[in-house]
Amino acid sequence: EGAVNAILDERKAHGKYQSIYDFVERINLQSCNRKTMESLAMAGAFDGFELYREQLMATTDKGEMVLEVLMRYGNKYQEDKRLQQNSLFGDLGGGAGIDIAKPELPQVPRMSSIERLNIEKSLIGIFLSAHPLDEYEFEVTQLCNITSQELTQLETLRTPDGRRAAAAAENEEEENSKLSTLNSKTTLNSTLSTLHSQTEGLQGLRFGGIVTSAEKLISKNGNPYGRYVIEDYAGSYKLTLFGETYKVCAPMLEPNLYVLITGNFQQKGMGQKWYKPKPFDEAEYEFMVQKVDLLKDAQSTYVTDLTLTIPVENVQPEFIAELTEQCQSHKGNIRLKIQVYDELKKNLITFTSQSYAVQVDSSFFHWLKLQIQEGTFTIKVN
């Protein structure tokens, strides 16, 4: 807290910090000590300056951390400034006469984005500057039909007692607030209805994320099994895998791997020889993993067509040229289809490109999202 107040007070009194040198020249380095400076650097507090985090944590030829050298420079600068101000003519210079060589920042290799973000999260508690999944935003948003948050919500409905408690809570909420339209209530009610009408459960659920935790354990019977935490944009979900599923999927569930998980929320024991379906009021459900893919392979495995549906009035020369440029810059194996529709005449014509097949990386998906937001077209993935 003392360091935070010192940083804020100095900024309020004398304006924004212009560089890392300006920062150490001005800040109270007793309040903002080495440990604080390390945390600020690795959390990204200095990213606004013309440097990157790894430079500050690098080691010089003399075996000193660059951050320590910068802090020693700041202490020397501040001490010389005090001496100058205390001298007979010090006020004439106003600190401008201080001449101390600024330490150079070395050029060092950068960490991977996931390493950098993991450190950031350990210090702040959240991914702040980016999200590890941003590279695979297309796969996560377009190929997945459920989130970790929704899967966690389904867990509350696994047992008969859980389903009764959820239904009672919804009824109580509805009685307490007739005007309430909570999304969670709609989700729970629709889920209960689906499970009630389909004893086989919810099939073909797919969610993608990054593996943040992986434990390899041994059961009391001596059989190996694994516990995993998968994190997506909505939160995190815990998986436990046993038997053959564990043997097949475990190599794909190592920490920091980006994965696409397909599974079913089904009655417990379904698929086993001893399984007999139970009435809804007695049944227990579980999420069973069927398959694990790496997100980097998901497009080639699951995507064949990308369809853009465009109002006829938006098909202008400028747009055609921009779309052509994007396709040329992002060549791949996904077929591009264009649907042009006329709202007034209720006509729809579909074209399949003979010249272009695309790969949807993060930059191409960013462009697609901008066009969707502007109402230029909508997209559909098959």
Side-chain angles (χ1 to χ4, degrees):
E1 186 176 354
V4 171
N5 288 331
I7 292 169
L8 295 176
D9 290 345
E10 170 60 28
R11 188 173 65 188
K12 184 177 180 180
H14 300 106
K16 292 182 178 180
Y17 302 103
Q18 301 301 315
S19 66
I20 189 64
Y21 304 108
D22 185 43
F23 183 84
V24 296
E25 289 168 4
R26 292 166 50 186
I27 195 64
N28 183 339
L29 291 170
Q30 289 184 330
S31 297
C32 201
N33 57 28
R34 171 183 162 169
K35 181 62 178 176
T36 304
M37 289 287 286
E38 286 182 13
S39 296
L40 287 169
M42 295 313 295
F46 302 126
D47 284 6
F49 303 143
E50 293 183 1
L51 55 83
Y52 51 95
R53 304 173 198 185
E54 293 81 355
Q55 289 178 294
L56 299 178
M57 307 307 294
T59 302
T60 67
D61 294 338
K62 297 180 179 180
E64 296 178 290
M65 186 183 293
V66 171
L67 204 53
E68 292 179 325
V69 177
L70 281 166
M71 293 181 70
R72 189 164 63 245
Y73 160 80
N75 278 316
K76 177 64 175 171
Y77 182 95
Q78 293 180 29
E79 180 62 23
D80 285 6
K81 185 175 181 179
R82 279 192 293 272
L83 292 173
Q84 187 185 72
Q85 289 173 340
N86 290 334
S87 69
L88 183 61
F89 304 105
D91 59 337
L92 296 178
I98 300 173
D99 186 18
I100 305 174
K102 292 181 171 65
E104 293 186 5
L105 300 180
Q107 297 301 311
V108 295
R110 298 195 184 202
M111 291 183 290
S112 67
S113 60
I114 186 59
E115 289 177 310
R116 188 165 58 253
L117 287 168
N118 279 338
I119 294 173
E120 185 178 294
K121 185 178 182 182
S122 70
L123 291 166
I124 306 172
I126 59 172
F127 297 118
L128 185 64
S129 61
H131 194 285
L133 283 176
D134 286 348
E135 183 180 353
Y136 299 103
E137 186 182 5
F138 170 75
E139 288 83 353
V140 172
T141 58
Q142 299 299 310
L143 299 183
C144 298
N145 54 18
I146 197 166
T147 67
S148 63
Q149 186 180 46
E150 290 165 337
L151 276 171
T152 301
Q153 190 178 41
L154 277 176
E155 287 291 320
T156 65
L157 308 176
R158 288 192 316 108
T159 65
D161 287 345
R163 295 193 290 275
R164 282 191 287 268
E170 290 172 12
N171 291 334
E172 182 179 353
E173 179 65 36
E174 191 171 2
E175 288 297 322
N176 291 338
S177 177
K178 296 295 185 181
L179 298 178
S180 175
T181 55
L182 294 175
N183 287 333
S184 59
K185 184 172 68 175
T186 303
T187 302
L188 282 174
N189 278 328
S190 63
T191 301
L192 286 167
S193 175
T194 302
L195 288 175
H196 186 66
S197 62
Q198 299 179 351
T199 55
E200 72 274 12
L202 301 174
Q203 304 292 304
L205 299 179
R206 188 185 291 156
F207 79 105
I210 179 172
V211 182
T212 57
S213 175
E215 293 181 273
K216 297 178 180 179
L217 306 165
I218 301 294
S219 70
K220 293 180 180 179
N221 298 329
N223 298 317
Y225 70 100
R227 289 194 187 126
Y228 308 93
V229 177
I230 315 297
E231 186 163 328
D232 62 7
Y233 287 112
S236 60
Y237 182 70
K238 296 179 181 178
L239 285 173
T240 303
L241 302 184
F242 301 93
E244 195 62 30
T245 303
Y246 168 75
K247 293 178 184 178
V248 172
C249 298
M252 312 285 280
L253 291 169
E254 294 293 334
N256 296 330
L257 287 181
Y258 300 88
V259 295
L260 185 69
I261 296 175
T262 304
N264 302 329
F265 191 73
Q266 62 191 32
Q267 281 201 28
K268 194 170 184 178
M270 185 175 175
Q272 301 294 327
K273 292 181 180 179
W274 49 264
Y275 169 73
K276 290 183 179 179
K278 293 183 178 180
F280 179 71
D281 290 342
E282 300 176 17
E284 289 191 16
Y285 288 82
E286 60 185 350
F287 179 71
M288 290 296 294
V289 173
Q290 305 296 321
K291 187 181 182 184
V292 177
D293 297 285
L294 295 178
L295 275 176
K296 68 181 182 66
D297 301 325
Q299 282 193 46
S300 59
T301 304
Y302 294 104
V303 182
T304 55
D305 300 322
L306 174 65
T307 303
L308 311 184
T309 303
I310 311 170
V312 66
E313 61 269 18
N314 291 344
V315 184
Q316 302 295 333
E318 296 83 1
F319 167 74
I320 295 172
E322 188 174 358
L323 177 60
T324 302
E325 182 180 351
Q326 288 292 330
C327 293
Q328 289 174 338
S329 302
H330 300 91
K331 294 180 179 179
N333 299 314
I334 300 173
R335 281 195 303 259
L336 181 65
K337 293 184 177 181
I338 307 291
Q339 287 188 332
V340 180
Y341 73 92
D342 187 332
E343 181 66 29
L344 293 176
K345 297 182 179 180
K346 305 299 180 183
N347 289 335
L348 177 68
I349 303 175
T350 301
F351 304 92
T352 299
S353 175
Q354 301 300 316
S355 304
Y356 300 111
V358 296
Q359 177 76 15
V360 187
D361 60 13
S362 56
S363 64
F364 189 25
F365 190 54
H366 177 71
W367 180 81
L368 291 172
K369 288 195 300 179
L370 286 177
Q371 302 306 311
I372 294 168
Q373 291 168 6
E374 293 173 0
T376 307
F377 52 67
T378 59
I379 69 170
K380 181 179 179 182
V381 176
N382 294 316

